Amino acid sequence: MLKKSMAAVVMVMVFALALAGCGGSDGVMSKGYGDLFRDKAAINKAVTEIKAKGGGTPLMIFQSMHFGPEFINFSRQDPKNKENVDNFVWTPNTGWQGPKIVKLSGGGKLEDNLFNIDDVNWDAIPVFIAETEKLAKENGIEKASLGSSIMINFNVRKQTLSFSATVKGERKDAYSTGDVQTGKVTNFRVKKKKINLPLKAGLFFCRGSC
């Protein structure tokens, strides 16, 4: 039987969250965790804080997760009320924000849309980053950038996890996916950028005198 994905919308309940004394920044201006693409110690420190923010053991993540030195974004099942999902966001400038209510819709089952954060080998991220950067160089992607984060994606139909990253270059972009246990790149697809060229000037033709 095929698993069905659920749709989610993060509800910014400003007034209600203010009354409850939650949501918004944790009040500490963060300078960042360090290099969350290459430094295993920094990665594991961030994951430890993610687990603390999310609460509950195991921490069950809803569908996907952004993870990087400039941006972390995840939604998790509320361990105290398992019918609910809440969203948390971190940036170096704001620190942690959340929980914010996630409104669910669709015909799928919530449990089919969740993965255990411990099913990811977080030490594999530097391997994935290194292989992705190497392939970008080999494919001639000049000034390649991975942006602010990579993603941990959960394929609901297949019930499988993968790393994914968008590589941005001057002339070409690429999309990379990898194994969440080994970090090995499983697919690297180069996409040429579309360049908007100016319209050619019109040509006039006439017979006889014009």
Side-chain angles (χ1 to χ4, degrees):
M1 183 177 179
L2 291 175
K3 308 292 186 181
K4 294 183 179 179
S5 297
M6 301 180 75
V9 178
V10 178
M11 307 297 288
V12 184
M13 307 292 286
V14 178
F15 180 67
L17 289 172
L19 288 177
C22 59
S25 173
D26 58 9
V28 178
M29 294 298 287
S30 171
K31 293 183 179 180
Y33 290 102
D35 190 347
L36 294 184
F37 282 164
R38 300 169 185 85
D39 186 340
K40 290 182 181 180
I43 291 168
N44 285 301
K45 179 181 177 182
V47 172
T48 298
E49 287 201 22
I50 287 169
K51 291 179 179 180
K53 291 290 178 184
T57 302
L59 182 62
M60 303 302 292
I61 305 295
F62 181 78
Q63 290 187 347
S64 64
M65 180 176 180
H66 289 268
F67 187 87
E70 302 295 329
F71 184 61
I72 298 173
N73 185 336
F74 72 96
S75 297
R76 63 93 172 102
Q77 182 185 43
D78 186 342
K80 295 180 180 178
N81 188 339
K82 295 185 181 296
E83 294 180 356
N84 294 340
V85 173
D86 299 294
N87 178 258
F88 297 79
V89 176
W90 172 88
T91 70
N93 291 331
T94 64
W96 280 103
Q97 296 179 309
K100 289 185 172 67
I101 294 169
V102 176
K103 186 176 181 180
L104 303 174
S105 62
K109 296 180 180 179
L110 178 57
E111 57 264 32
D112 293 336
N113 288 260
L114 301 171
F115 68 90
N116 187 334
I117 195 171
D118 289 330
D119 287 343
V120 177
N121 176 16
W122 295 95
D123 287 346
I125 286 180
V127 177
F128 174 64
I129 295 299
E131 287 205 1
T132 296
E133 290 177 333
K134 180 182 177 182
L135 287 167
K137 185 176 182 179
E138 290 175 353
N139 282 273
I141 300 178
E142 300 169 357
K143 296 183 180 180
S145 171
L146 296 176
S148 61
S149 66
I150 63 170
M151 287 192 71
I152 295 91
N153 290 313
F154 183 58
N155 187 313
V156 175
R157 289 180 179 272
K158 295 181 179 180
Q159 297 287 289
T160 56
L161 281 166
S162 63
F163 292 135
S164 69
T166 299
V167 184
K168 295 286 186 179
E170 278 189 325
R171 298 179 184 274
K172 294 184 289 186
D173 296 337
Y175 184 73
S176 179
T177 56
D179 188 285
V180 296
Q181 292 303 314
T182 65
K184 297 293 184 181
V185 171
T186 54
N187 185 41
F188 189 87
R189 185 174 73 254
V190 177
K191 302 181 291 180
K192 288 186 178 180
K193 281 191 174 181
K194 293 182 179 179
I195 301 175
N196 295 322
L197 297 175
L199 293 175
K200 291 182 178 179
L203 296 176
F204 296 93
F205 175 80
C206 62
R207 295 178 184 275
S209 59
C210 294

